[in-house]
Amino acid sequence: GDSVTQKEGLVTLTEGLPVMLNCTYQTIYSNAFLFWYVHYLNESPRLLLKSSTDNKRTEHQGFHATLHKSSSSFHLQKSSAQLSDSALYYCALYNTNTGKLTFGDGTVLTVKP
Amino acid sequence: AQTIHQWPVAEIKAVGSPLSLGCTIKGKSSPNLYWYWQATGGTLQQLFYSITVGQVESVVQLNLSASRPKDDQFILSTEKLLLSHSGFYLCAWSLYREDQDTQYFGPGTRLLVL
């Protein structure tokens, strides 16, 4: 079946430094959608980015990610972290053939002053 | 605008007792509906999905059941809770057909089974 790997469970960095959260995936299907969801404490997870186009950068709220099908990756990046970015970030894979959304384990990002 | 409501917000239940969690979607007709579960320290797992009233597909077996009695309502239940049912339950919706890849989540229900 499909799988999503987020190798960092916890990332702590200082405000102003760049952010990179890793996401790799496995699926036998070529037409996968990849997502980043952000989950702030006491709120619902909400969509941050999504992409299904190979090698196309997608951006939202200062974050960006590029789907690379050759390496099965969809890393989340931001040039300068803000305190308000502290949250749980999920990478997820949507399989258009099965309709199933598969989540990674999530990465807790903590930004300190 | 569409809204998604889950109830209860949180619950503490005894092992062996019944459970019913609810989810309603307002502002969208005939959405796809989903139930997810997250154990403490675990990842989100899709439990059930439904594309129409009365039709529910199971994705993961956890001794839970789901029903869709109305177009805008999705119910998760069990007759006998286990300790392992503790966790965070999320309901989500997506559009039927177009843009169905994108799911929108409710606020969730925290369940503690003792």
Side-chain angles (χ1 to χ4, degrees), chain A residues 94-110:
Chain A
Y94 179 79
N95 188 316
T96 57
N97 293 278
T98 64
K100 186 178 177 184
L101 187 62
T102 301
F103 284 86
D105 288 342
T107 298
V108 175
L109 174 65
T110 302

mmCIF file with all atom_site columns, all heavy atoms in Angstrom, chain A residues 94-110:
data_model
loop_
_atom_site.group_PDB
_atom_site.id
_atom_site.type_symbol
_atom_site.label_atom_id
_atom_site.label_alt_id
_atom_site.label_comp_id
_atom_site.label_asym_id
_atom_site.label_entity_id
_atom_site.label_seq_id
_atom_site.pdbx_PDB_ins_code
_atom_site.Cartn_x
_atom_site.Cartn_y
_atom_site.Cartn_z
_atom_site.occupancy
_atom_site.B_iso_or_equiv
_atom_site.pdbx_formal_charge
_atom_site.auth_seq_id
_atom_site.auth_comp_id
_atom_site.auth_asym_id
_atom_site.auth_atom_id
_atom_site.pdbx_PDB_model_num
ATOM 1   N N   . TYR A 1 94  ? -2.546  11.465 -1.470  1.00 0.00 ? 94  TYR A N   1
ATOM 2   C CA  . TYR A 1 94  ? -3.884  11.068 -1.901  1.00 0.00 ? 94  TYR A CA  1
ATOM 3   C C   . TYR A 1 94  ? -3.775  10.199 -3.130  1.00 0.00 ? 94  TYR A C   1
ATOM 4   O O   . TYR A 1 94  ? -3.174  10.592 -4.136  1.00 0.00 ? 94  TYR A O   1
ATOM 5   C CB  . TYR A 1 94  ? -4.744  12.300 -2.210  1.00 0.00 ? 94  TYR A CB  1
ATOM 6   C CG  . TYR A 1 94  ? -6.134  11.957 -2.691  1.00 0.00 ? 94  TYR A CG  1
ATOM 7   C CD1 . TYR A 1 94  ? -7.121  11.575 -1.792  1.00 0.00 ? 94  TYR A CD1 1
ATOM 8   C CD2 . TYR A 1 94  ? -6.454  11.999 -4.046  1.00 0.00 ? 94  TYR A CD2 1
ATOM 9   C CE1 . TYR A 1 94  ? -8.400  11.252 -2.217  1.00 0.00 ? 94  TYR A CE1 1
ATOM 10  C CE2 . TYR A 1 94  ? -7.722  11.683 -4.484  1.00 0.00 ? 94  TYR A CE2 1
ATOM 11  C CZ  . TYR A 1 94  ? -8.696  11.302 -3.567  1.00 0.00 ? 94  TYR A CZ  1
ATOM 12  O OH  . TYR A 1 94  ? -9.958  10.979 -3.987  1.00 0.00 ? 94  TYR A OH  1
ATOM 13  N N   . ASN A 1 95  ? -4.359  9.016  -3.034  1.00 0.00 ? 95  ASN A N   1
ATOM 14  C CA  . ASN A 1 95  ? -4.336  8.067  -4.137  1.00 0.00 ? 95  ASN A CA  1
ATOM 15  C C   . ASN A 1 95  ? -5.642  8.209  -4.919  1.00 0.00 ? 95  ASN A C   1
ATOM 16  O O   . ASN A 1 95  ? -6.713  7.882  -4.414  1.00 0.00 ? 95  ASN A O   1
ATOM 17  C CB  . ASN A 1 95  ? -4.188  6.652  -3.575  1.00 0.00 ? 95  ASN A CB  1
ATOM 18  C CG  . ASN A 1 95  ? -3.974  5.616  -4.645  1.00 0.00 ? 95  ASN A CG  1
ATOM 19  O OD1 . ASN A 1 95  ? -4.632  5.630  -5.678  1.00 0.00 ? 95  ASN A OD1 1
ATOM 20  N ND2 . ASN A 1 95  ? -3.046  4.703  -4.389  1.00 0.00 ? 95  ASN A ND2 1
ATOM 21  N N   . THR A 1 96  ? -5.546  8.687  -6.135  1.00 0.00 ? 96  THR A N   1
ATOM 22  C CA  . THR A 1 96  ? -6.754  8.936  -6.918  1.00 0.00 ? 96  THR A CA  1
ATOM 23  C C   . THR A 1 96  ? -7.454  7.646  -7.334  1.00 0.00 ? 96  THR A C   1
ATOM 24  O O   . THR A 1 96  ? -8.627  7.675  -7.689  1.00 0.00 ? 96  THR A O   1
ATOM 25  C CB  . THR A 1 96  ? -6.417  9.757  -8.172  1.00 0.00 ? 96  THR A CB  1
ATOM 26  O OG1 . THR A 1 96  ? -5.427  9.064  -8.925  1.00 0.00 ? 96  THR A OG1 1
ATOM 27  C CG2 . THR A 1 96  ? -5.903  11.129 -7.802  1.00 0.00 ? 96  THR A CG2 1
ATOM 28  N N   . ASN A 1 97  ? -6.743  6.537  -7.276  1.00 0.00 ? 97  ASN A N   1
ATOM 29  C CA  . ASN A 1 97  ? -7.366  5.270  -7.658  1.00 0.00 ? 97  ASN A CA  1
ATOM 30  C C   . ASN A 1 97  ? -8.178  4.657  -6.522  1.00 0.00 ? 97  ASN A C   1
ATOM 31  O O   . ASN A 1 97  ? -9.225  4.051  -6.744  1.00 0.00 ? 97  ASN A O   1
ATOM 32  C CB  . ASN A 1 97  ? -6.295  4.271  -8.108  1.00 0.00 ? 97  ASN A CB  1
ATOM 33  C CG  . ASN A 1 97  ? -5.620  4.698  -9.392  1.00 0.00 ? 97  ASN A CG  1
ATOM 34  O OD1 . ASN A 1 97  ? -6.114  4.481  -10.481 1.00 0.00 ? 97  ASN A OD1 1
ATOM 35  N ND2 . ASN A 1 97  ? -4.480  5.365  -9.258  1.00 0.00 ? 97  ASN A ND2 1
ATOM 36  N N   . THR A 1 98  ? -7.682  4.832  -5.303  1.00 0.00 ? 98  THR A N   1
ATOM 37  C CA  . THR A 1 98  ? -8.370  4.238  -4.152  1.00 0.00 ? 98  THR A CA  1
ATOM 38  C C   . THR A 1 98  ? -9.173  5.271  -3.362  1.00 0.00 ? 98  THR A C   1
ATOM 39  O O   . THR A 1 98  ? -10.016 4.905  -2.552  1.00 0.00 ? 98  THR A O   1
ATOM 40  C CB  . THR A 1 98  ? -7.358  3.583  -3.192  1.00 0.00 ? 98  THR A CB  1
ATOM 41  O OG1 . THR A 1 98  ? -6.497  4.610  -2.667  1.00 0.00 ? 98  THR A OG1 1
ATOM 42  C CG2 . THR A 1 98  ? -6.522  2.538  -3.923  1.00 0.00 ? 98  THR A CG2 1
ATOM 43  N N   . GLY A 1 99  ? -8.896  6.547  -3.574  1.00 0.00 ? 99  GLY A N   1
ATOM 44  C CA  . GLY A 1 99  ? -9.559  7.593  -2.809  1.00 0.00 ? 99  GLY A CA  1
ATOM 45  C C   . GLY A 1 99  ? -9.062  7.718  -1.385  1.00 0.00 ? 99  GLY A C   1
ATOM 46  O O   . GLY A 1 99  ? -9.655  8.404  -0.556  1.00 0.00 ? 99  GLY A O   1
ATOM 47  N N   . LYS A 1 100 ? -7.958  7.059  -1.085  1.00 0.00 ? 100 LYS A N   1
ATOM 48  C CA  . LYS A 1 100 ? -7.460  7.074  0.288   1.00 0.00 ? 100 LYS A CA  1
ATOM 49  C C   . LYS A 1 100 ? -6.389  8.148  0.476   1.00 0.00 ? 100 LYS A C   1
ATOM 50  O O   . LYS A 1 100 ? -5.527  8.331  -0.375  1.00 0.00 ? 100 LYS A O   1
ATOM 51  C CB  . LYS A 1 100 ? -6.877  5.707  0.649   1.00 0.00 ? 100 LYS A CB  1
ATOM 52  C CG  . LYS A 1 100 ? -6.470  5.607  2.111   1.00 0.00 ? 100 LYS A CG  1
ATOM 53  C CD  . LYS A 1 100 ? -5.950  4.219  2.458   1.00 0.00 ? 100 LYS A CD  1
ATOM 54  C CE  . LYS A 1 100 ? -5.485  4.181  3.902   1.00 0.00 ? 100 LYS A CE  1
ATOM 55  N NZ  . LYS A 1 100 ? -4.895  2.892  4.265   1.00 0.00 ? 100 LYS A NZ  1
ATOM 56  N N   . LEU A 1 101 ? -6.473  8.830  1.612   1.00 0.00 ? 101 LEU A N   1
ATOM 57  C CA  . LEU A 1 101 ? -5.477  9.822  2.005   1.00 0.00 ? 101 LEU A CA  1
ATOM 58  C C   . LEU A 1 101 ? -4.603  9.195  3.078   1.00 0.00 ? 101 LEU A C   1
ATOM 59  O O   . LEU A 1 101 ? -5.104  8.803  4.128   1.00 0.00 ? 101 LEU A O   1
ATOM 60  C CB  . LEU A 1 101 ? -6.170  11.078 2.521   1.00 0.00 ? 101 LEU A CB  1
ATOM 61  C CG  . LEU A 1 101 ? -5.316  12.301 2.833   1.00 0.00 ? 101 LEU A CG  1
ATOM 62  C CD1 . LEU A 1 101 ? -4.619  12.810 1.592   1.00 0.00 ? 101 LEU A CD1 1
ATOM 63  C CD2 . LEU A 1 101 ? -6.173  13.401 3.454   1.00 0.00 ? 101 LEU A CD2 1
ATOM 64  N N   . THR A 1 102 ? -3.321  9.073  2.813   1.00 0.00 ? 102 THR A N   1
ATOM 65  C CA  . THR A 1 102 ? -2.382  8.454  3.743   1.00 0.00 ? 102 THR A CA  1
ATOM 66  C C   . THR A 1 102 ? -1.475  9.521  4.334   1.00 0.00 ? 102 THR A C   1
ATOM 67  O O   . THR A 1 102 ? -0.841  10.270 3.589   1.00 0.00 ? 102 THR A O   1
ATOM 68  C CB  . THR A 1 102 ? -1.529  7.395  3.015   1.00 0.00 ? 102 THR A CB  1
ATOM 69  O OG1 . THR A 1 102 ? -2.399  6.399  2.461   1.00 0.00 ? 102 THR A OG1 1
ATOM 70  C CG2 . THR A 1 102 ? -0.555  6.730  3.977   1.00 0.00 ? 102 THR A CG2 1
ATOM 71  N N   . PHE A 1 103 ? -1.417  9.563  5.653   1.00 0.00 ? 103 PHE A N   1
ATOM 72  C CA  . PHE A 1 103 ? -0.626  10.572 6.347   1.00 0.00 ? 103 PHE A CA  1
ATOM 73  C C   . PHE A 1 103 ? 0.716   10.017 6.795   1.00 0.00 ? 103 PHE A C   1
ATOM 74  O O   . PHE A 1 103 ? 0.848   8.832  7.134   1.00 0.00 ? 103 PHE A O   1
ATOM 75  C CB  . PHE A 1 103 ? -1.369  11.076 7.584   1.00 0.00 ? 103 PHE A CB  1
ATOM 76  C CG  . PHE A 1 103 ? -2.492  12.015 7.279   1.00 0.00 ? 103 PHE A CG  1
ATOM 77  C CD1 . PHE A 1 103 ? -3.752  11.525 6.971   1.00 0.00 ? 103 PHE A CD1 1
ATOM 78  C CD2 . PHE A 1 103 ? -2.294  13.377 7.295   1.00 0.00 ? 103 PHE A CD2 1
ATOM 79  C CE1 . PHE A 1 103 ? -4.794  12.387 6.682   1.00 0.00 ? 103 PHE A CE1 1
ATOM 80  C CE2 . PHE A 1 103 ? -3.339  14.248 7.011   1.00 0.00 ? 103 PHE A CE2 1
ATOM 81  C CZ  . PHE A 1 103 ? -4.587  13.750 6.704   1.00 0.00 ? 103 PHE A CZ  1
ATOM 82  N N   . GLY A 1 104 ? 1.700   10.901 6.854   1.00 0.00 ? 104 GLY A N   1
ATOM 83  C CA  . GLY A 1 104 ? 2.936   10.584 7.536   1.00 0.00 ? 104 GLY A CA  1
ATOM 84  C C   . GLY A 1 104 ? 2.732   10.727 9.040   1.00 0.00 ? 104 GLY A C   1
ATOM 85  O O   . GLY A 1 104 ? 1.645   11.088 9.496   1.00 0.00 ? 104 GLY A O   1
ATOM 86  N N   . ASP A 1 105 ? 3.769   10.454 9.804   1.00 0.00 ? 105 ASP A N   1
ATOM 87  C CA  . ASP A 1 105 ? 3.663   10.519 11.263  1.00 0.00 ? 105 ASP A CA  1
ATOM 88  C C   . ASP A 1 105 ? 3.604   11.939 11.794  1.00 0.00 ? 105 ASP A C   1
ATOM 89  O O   . ASP A 1 105 ? 3.284   12.152 12.956  1.00 0.00 ? 105 ASP A O   1
ATOM 90  C CB  . ASP A 1 105 ? 4.847   9.798  11.903  1.00 0.00 ? 105 ASP A CB  1
ATOM 91  C CG  . ASP A 1 105 ? 4.741   8.292  11.735  1.00 0.00 ? 105 ASP A CG  1
ATOM 92  O OD1 . ASP A 1 105 ? 3.626   7.809  11.444  1.00 0.00 ? 105 ASP A OD1 1
ATOM 93  O OD2 . ASP A 1 105 ? 5.766   7.606  11.889  1.00 0.00 ? 105 ASP A OD2 1
ATOM 94  N N   . GLY A 1 106 ? 3.936   12.900 10.954  1.00 0.00 ? 106 GLY A N   1
ATOM 95  C CA  . GLY A 1 106 ? 3.902   14.290 11.378  1.00 0.00 ? 106 GLY A CA  1
ATOM 96  C C   . GLY A 1 106 ? 5.238   14.760 11.934  1.00 0.00 ? 106 GLY A C   1
ATOM 97  O O   . GLY A 1 106 ? 6.026   13.967 12.470  1.00 0.00 ? 106 GLY A O   1
ATOM 98  N N   . THR A 1 107 ? 5.480   16.052 11.799  1.00 0.00 ? 107 THR A N   1
ATOM 99  C CA  . THR A 1 107 ? 6.678   16.686 12.352  1.00 0.00 ? 107 THR A CA  1
ATOM 100 C C   . THR A 1 107 ? 6.231   17.864 13.193  1.00 0.00 ? 107 THR A C   1
ATOM 101 O O   . THR A 1 107 ? 5.504   18.736 12.707  1.00 0.00 ? 107 THR A O   1
ATOM 102 C CB  . THR A 1 107 ? 7.620   17.190 11.240  1.00 0.00 ? 107 THR A CB  1
ATOM 103 O OG1 . THR A 1 107 ? 8.064   16.085 10.457  1.00 0.00 ? 107 THR A OG1 1
ATOM 104 C CG2 . THR A 1 107 ? 8.825   17.912 11.845  1.00 0.00 ? 107 THR A CG2 1
ATOM 105 N N   . VAL A 1 108 ? 6.659   17.859 14.443  1.00 0.00 ? 108 VAL A N   1
ATOM 106 C CA  . VAL A 1 108 ? 6.354   18.998 15.316  1.00 0.00 ? 108 VAL A CA  1
ATOM 107 C C   . VAL A 1 108 ? 7.439   20.037 15.115  1.00 0.00 ? 108 VAL A C   1
ATOM 108 O O   . VAL A 1 108 ? 8.624   19.765 15.343  1.00 0.00 ? 108 VAL A O   1
ATOM 109 C CB  . VAL A 1 108 ? 6.303   18.563 16.797  1.00 0.00 ? 108 VAL A CB  1
ATOM 110 C CG1 . VAL A 1 108 ? 6.116   19.783 17.694  1.00 0.00 ? 108 VAL A CG1 1
ATOM 111 C CG2 . VAL A 1 108 ? 5.172   17.564 17.010  1.00 0.00 ? 108 VAL A CG2 1
ATOM 112 N N   . LEU A 1 109 ? 7.046   21.196 14.660  1.00 0.00 ? 109 LEU A N   1
ATOM 113 C CA  . LEU A 1 109 ? 7.981   22.302 14.470  1.00 0.00 ? 109 LEU A CA  1
ATOM 114 C C   . LEU A 1 109 ? 7.822   23.276 15.628  1.00 0.00 ? 109 LEU A C   1
ATOM 115 O O   . LEU A 1 109 ? 6.718   23.758 15.889  1.00 0.00 ? 109 LEU A O   1
ATOM 116 C CB  . LEU A 1 109 ? 7.713   23.015 13.147  1.00 0.00 ? 109 LEU A CB  1
ATOM 117 C CG  . LEU A 1 109 ? 8.520   24.287 12.885  1.00 0.00 ? 109 LEU A CG  1
ATOM 118 C CD1 . LEU A 1 109 ? 10.009  23.953 12.769  1.00 0.00 ? 109 LEU A CD1 1
ATOM 119 C CD2 . LEU A 1 109 ? 8.036   25.002 11.629  1.00 0.00 ? 109 LEU A CD2 1
ATOM 120 N N   . THR A 1 110 ? 8.916   23.528 16.313  1.00 0.00 ? 110 THR A N   1
ATOM 121 C CA  . THR A 1 110 ? 8.915   24.499 17.399  1.00 0.00 ? 110 THR A CA  1
ATOM 122 C C   . THR A 1 110 ? 9.897   25.601 17.032  1.00 0.00 ? 110 THR A C   1
ATOM 123 O O   . THR A 1 110 ? 11.078  25.332 16.799  1.00 0.00 ? 110 THR A O   1
ATOM 124 C CB  . THR A 1 110 ? 9.329   23.851 18.727  1.00 0.00 ? 110 THR A CB  1
ATOM 125 O OG1 . THR A 1 110 ? 8.427   22.773 19.019  1.00 0.00 ? 110 THR A OG1 1
ATOM 126 C CG2 . THR A 1 110 ? 9.284   24.873 19.861  1.00 0.00 ? 110 THR A CG2 1
#
